[in-house]
């Protein structure tokens, strides 16, 4: 029997999933909903499962992520507990005194090696990773190199990569 998507009924438990589309089409909302869908309704003290259940790695500096999570039903307490850990990678890179991509890969490696990784990790966005890595988004080898760096994590959990396609308005 073929495996069925179990995370928000859209994504498999393990593997890389690319969610691509133009700005404003709902990619962030879908990915954030997937993150929230893996948080247990009732958390039992001493359980093997601990927060964060999902990690949203925001490379674009989206300041509305917490408000969006609350709009989807997350409580402020759950966000404080970091049931879904929404991370501004640029801010984290600044705090660590290192580059954005170095910080991202360090975080990905740490999660991949964690004995209890999050169930869902979102990378927002592929466009930013490609640009900051000095790769060309039109070069399949460069994109493959980036995806290969995500594979050890994707072997252990659901990795959702958001990718922005061109704007609907060509003169923008």
């Amino acid at each position: 029997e073929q495996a069925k998507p179990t995370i928000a009924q859209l994504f498999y438990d393990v593997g890389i999933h690319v969610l691509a589309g133009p700005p404003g089409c709902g990619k962030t909302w879908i990915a954030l909903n997937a993150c929230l869908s893996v948080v247990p309704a009732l958390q039992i003290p001493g359980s093997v499962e601990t927060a964060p259940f999902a990690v949203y790695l925001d490379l674009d500096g989206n300041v509305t992520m917490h408000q969006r999570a609350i709009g989807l039903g997350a409580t402020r307490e759950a966000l404080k507990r970091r049931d879904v850990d929404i991370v501004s990678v640029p801010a984290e890179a600044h705090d660590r005194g290192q580059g954005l991509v170095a910080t991202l890969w360090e975080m990905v490696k740490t999660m991949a090696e964690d004995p209890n990784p999050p169930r869902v990790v979102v990378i927002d966005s592929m466009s930013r990773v490609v640009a900051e890595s000095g790769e060309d988004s039109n070069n399949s080898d460069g994109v493959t190199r980036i995806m290969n760096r995500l594979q050890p994590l994707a072997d252990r959990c659901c990795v959702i990569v958001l990718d922005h396609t061109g704007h609907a308005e060509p003169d923008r």
Side-chain angles (χ1 to χ4, degrees):
E1 183 176 319
Q2 187 175 9
K4 295 182 181 180
T6 59
I7 297 172
Q9 298 180 342
L10 294 171
F11 305 104
Y12 296 99
D13 286 326
V14 295
I16 297 174
H17 307 79
V18 177
L19 192 54
C25 74
K27 298 179 299 295
T28 300
W29 288 102
I30 291 169
L32 191 54
N33 184 61
C35 289
L36 293 170
S37 77
V38 299
V39 176
L42 175 64
Q43 295 180 38
I44 301 168
S47 171
V48 175
E49 289 191 55
T50 58
F53 300 99
V55 176
Y56 196 109
L57 298 174
D58 176 26
L59 284 86
D60 293 333
N62 188 337
V63 297
T64 65
M65 293 303 297
H66 287 88
Q67 290 85 0
R68 288 182 182 202
I70 290 167
L72 287 170
T75 64
R76 292 185 192 282
E77 294 76 27
L79 293 174
K80 285 180 187 172
R81 279 192 313 265
R82 296 188 175 199
D83 290 348
V84 174
D85 195 4
I86 299 171
V87 180
S88 170
V89 179
E92 185 70 23
H94 179 267
D95 291 348
R96 293 181 184 201
Q98 61 188 33
L100 183 94
V101 172
T103 300
L104 172 68
W105 294 134
E106 192 174 281
M107 294 173 83
V108 166
K109 183 177 188 273
T110 300
M111 288 185 284
E113 293 172 351
D114 189 322
N116 189 23
R119 286 196 57 206
V120 175
V121 175
V122 176
I123 312 281
D124 184 1
S125 72
M126 181 67 160
S127 305
R128 184 79 187 265
V129 176
V130 169
E132 295 283 337
S133 298
E135 298 286 359
D136 177 1
S137 61
N138 293 317
N139 180 322
S140 62
D141 291 339
V143 173
T144 299
R145 278 190 288 277
I146 290 169
M147 293 300 225
N148 285 342
R149 297 215 46 194
L150 296 172
Q151 194 59 55
L153 181 58
D155 287 342
R156 306 205 49 229
C157 69
C158 171
V159 176
I160 302 169
V161 180
L162 304 190
D163 195 14
H164 305 292
T165 60
H167 290 281
E169 301 173 36
D171 60 336
R172 181 172 172 196

